């Protein structure tokens, strides 16, 4: 997924802050990507920029795209981050400038590490009559300073570890670790992304890390996390300082659990770039628009996405919450 804002604001993230227990329900805001795709942007928002190293969360669908183009995100660049594609329904065809061409299906991890520079496209397959509903989440993970210039790479992990506590909670570990299970996806900071399903009538506790901060993104049904009912498409920021997370539901429900060690470095996010200084953003933007540095995405039927104008104000790094 690309940040397709025509006039993206600079978002300054990172830096130490409060990590005690919190219950802050973030409803997000609607953002239109391209011609047809409407997403709910949960991170960054006005009050919160990061959860661990997770720095960007767009949730979309379920959308009936049988008679629509569906997701059509032309080639665009990234630096300083990883992208995570996670689907509950539908299919996304990923292509990138390191030569990957991969169909990502529901409950499979598509993990792209931009490192110093990568470009990619994401599209609903043509045709997509066999998968007419699109429902998922696109997330970014900020790379720590010591790894942000690593080589670009793409990983596809169709099989991920599952946790079944026998208490009505089941979890797929998408990235990082949860309750002793670890995803095969490459990580650069201690974190977790998990898909938690809750059976109707469950009243249980999920083991979590005291030193992580967490958030829960409601995917379906109505889970009640730490006493807070989660409307579908909302993000509950939980802070840290817990060893267990109370979860219950009266109906079948699912949510994504995102967490990690609070990201202490200050970063700048602008458009599709994560950097440490404004001049890195300026250089990356100029290189992409000139056709340099990022390589070529082969096979996408359409033009690449050029970077918009930089904001008039200088880009400066700041903290992970306002
Ligand atoms: Mn992207």
């Amino acid at each position: 997924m690309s940040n397709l804002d025509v006039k993206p604001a600079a978002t300054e993230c990172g830096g130490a802050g409060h990590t005690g227990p919190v219950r802050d329900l973030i409803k997000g805001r609607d953002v239109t990507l391209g011609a047809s795709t409407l997403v709910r942007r949960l991170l960054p928002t006005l009050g919160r920029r990061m959860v661990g190293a997770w720095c960007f969360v767009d949730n979309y669908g379920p959308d009936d795209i049988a008679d629509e183009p569906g997701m059509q995100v032309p080639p665009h660049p990234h630096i300083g981050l990883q992208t995570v594609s996670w689907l509950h329904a539908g299919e996304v065809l990923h292509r990138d400038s390191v030569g990957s061409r991969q169909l990502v299906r529901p409950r499979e991890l598509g993990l792209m590490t931009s490192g110093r520079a990568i470009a990619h496209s994401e599209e609903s397959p043509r045709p997509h009559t066999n998968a007419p509903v699109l429902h998922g989440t696109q997330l970014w993970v900020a790379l720590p300073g010591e790894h942000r210039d690593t080589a670009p790479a793409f990983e596809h992990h169709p099989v991920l570890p599952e946790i079944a506590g026998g208490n009505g909670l089941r979890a797929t570990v998408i990235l990082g670790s949860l309750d002793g299970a670890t995803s095969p996806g490459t990580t650069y900071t201690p974190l977790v992304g998990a898909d938690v399903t809750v059976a109707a009538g469950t009243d249980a506790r999920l083991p979590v890390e005291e030193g992580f901060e967490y958030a829960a993104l409601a995917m379906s049904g109505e889970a009640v996390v730490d006493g807070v009912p989660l409307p579908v498409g909302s993000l509950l920021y939980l802070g840290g300082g817990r060893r267990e997370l109370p979860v219950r539901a009266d109906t079948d429900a699912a949510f994504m659990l995102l967490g990690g060690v609070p990201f202490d470095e200050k970063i700048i996010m602008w458009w599709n770039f994560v950097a440490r200084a404004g001049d890195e953003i300026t250089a990356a933007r100029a290189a992409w628009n000139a056709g340099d540095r990022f390589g070529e995405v082969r096979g996408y039927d359409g033009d690449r996405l050029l970077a918009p104008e930089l904001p008039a104000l200088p880009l400066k790094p700041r903290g992970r919450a306002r």
Side-chain angles (χ1 to χ4, degrees), residues 1-2 76 78 83 112 120 122 138 140 272:
M1 186 80 64
S2 167
H76 61 277
H78 288 291
T83 66
M112 186 179 79
H120 72 147
E122 293 157 297
Q138 176 73 18
W140 297 354
N272 294 304

Side-chain angles (χ1 to χ4, degrees), residues 1-2 73-81 83 93-102 111-122 138 150-154 271-273 284 287-289 291-300 303-307:
M1 186 80 64
S2 167
V73 183
H76 61 277
H78 288 291
I79 62 170
L81 55 79
T83 66
L93 178 60
H94 164 98
R95 305 175 197 264
D96 65 39
S97 54
V98 296
S100 315
R101 182 190 182 283
Q102 180 65 54
L111 175 66
M112 186 179 79
T113 302
S114 78
R116 56 184 173 264
I118 202 167
H120 72 147
S121 63
E122 293 157 297
Q138 176 73 18
T150 193
F154 180 77
W271 195 47
N272 294 304
F273 303 135
W288 170 252
N289 281 1
D292 296 336
R293 180 174 156 186
F294 289 90
E296 191 181 342
V297 180
R298 294 180 194 279
Y300 183 81
D303 294 334
R304 66 202 187 103
L305 201 63
L306 290 178

Side-chain angles (χ1 to χ4, degrees), residues 202-256:
T202 294
D203 188 350
R205 287 167 182 272
L206 191 64
V208 294
E209 299 288 332
E210 200 170 3
F212 279 20
E213 58 178 346
Y214 289 94
L217 167 60
M219 294 293 289
S220 62
E222 189 177 85
V224 180
V225 176
D226 205 17
V228 181
L230 298 191
V232 168
S234 65
L235 183 81
L236 178 66
Y237 177 69
L238 290 156
R242 291 178 185 79
R243 293 181 179 178
E244 292 180 320
L245 187 63
V247 177
R248 60 184 175 84
D250 295 330
T251 61
D252 289 348
F255 66 91
M256 293 181 72

